[in-house]
């Protein structure tokens, strides 16, 4: 197996497993306001997140920037909390009450995309901690960095697709109101984020 394939698989499995549940919960919160018809906007949103975490993943892995892993472990649940609060505010304003109406936002440079990119900067530092453990003393891991990042991206896309499909089944098949879906998913993610944050602050 090639180095590229090995690190591609490592990146995919790092994001697509329950041990990365903090990142999974963030993706759930990020996609909660959207339905399957919004897939173009979701792709733009996830791409913005990817741009953010790719930057800091590369910089931290190559030792260009230094950071406190403890601080990052605190900031990751904060990104989830803020995303959930924005979702709940959106639900309170009545946005997206029907499953058939796409979310009316600009596709490029919309504030959710910019915010996702900023939050991606934080999550990228979390990814880099794991990748640096894999690399050991290797100083120029260009192929490993690229393939690991692609693996993470593939894992994210699978997770996002599953979230959108679940939402489609509930909204269209079981006639769940879009606002209720947003409230339940964001509320659940908010609760998990609070537990994670308290665990980091009190642990």
């Amino acid at each position: 197996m090639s180095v590229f394939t090995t690190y591609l698989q490592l990146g995919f499995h790092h994001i697509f497993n329950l041990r990365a549940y903090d990142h999974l919960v963030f993706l759930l919160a990020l996609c909660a306001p959207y339905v399957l018809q919004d897939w173009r906007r979701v792709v733009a949103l996830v791409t913005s997140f990817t741009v953010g975490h790719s930057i800091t993943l590369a910089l931290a892995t190559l030792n260009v920037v230094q950071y406190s892993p403890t601080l990052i472990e605190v900031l990751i649940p904060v990104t989830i909390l803020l995303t959930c609060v924005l979702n709940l505010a959106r639900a309170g304003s009545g946005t997206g009450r029907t499953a058939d109406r796409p979310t009316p936002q600009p596709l490029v440079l919309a504030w959710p995309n910019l915010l996702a990119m900023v939050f991606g900067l934080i999550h990228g530092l979390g990814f880099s901690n794991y990748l640096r453990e894999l690399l050991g003393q290797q100083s120029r891991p260009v192929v490993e960095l690229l393939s690991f990042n692609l693996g993470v991206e593939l894992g994210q896309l699978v997770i996002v697709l599953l979230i959108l499909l679940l939402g489609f089944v509930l909204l269209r098949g079981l006639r769940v109101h879009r606002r209720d879906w947003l409230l339940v998913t964001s509320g659940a993610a908010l609760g998990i984020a609070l537990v994670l944050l308290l665990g980091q602050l009190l642990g």
Side-chain angles (χ1 to χ4, degrees), residues 64-87:
V64 176
V65 297
Q66 302 295 323
Y67 65 96
S68 166
T70 302
L71 177 60
I72 296 304
E73 291 302 317
V74 170
L75 290 178
I76 286 176
V78 170
T79 65
I80 302 171
L81 283 170
L82 291 176
T83 304
C84 292
V85 168
L86 291 172
N87 288 349

Side-chain angles (χ1 to χ4, degrees), residues 90-101 171 176-180:
R90 172 180 290 187
S93 67
T95 301
R97 294 196 176 197
T98 64
D100 299 322
R101 187 179 306 151
L171 295 169
V176 172
H177 291 291
R178 184 170 175 179
R179 183 171 180 270
D180 293 338

Side-chain angles (χ1 to χ4, degrees), residues 20 51 100 104 122 128 133 135 155:
V51 169
D100 299 322
I122 296 171
S128 69
E133 290 179 1
L135 293 170

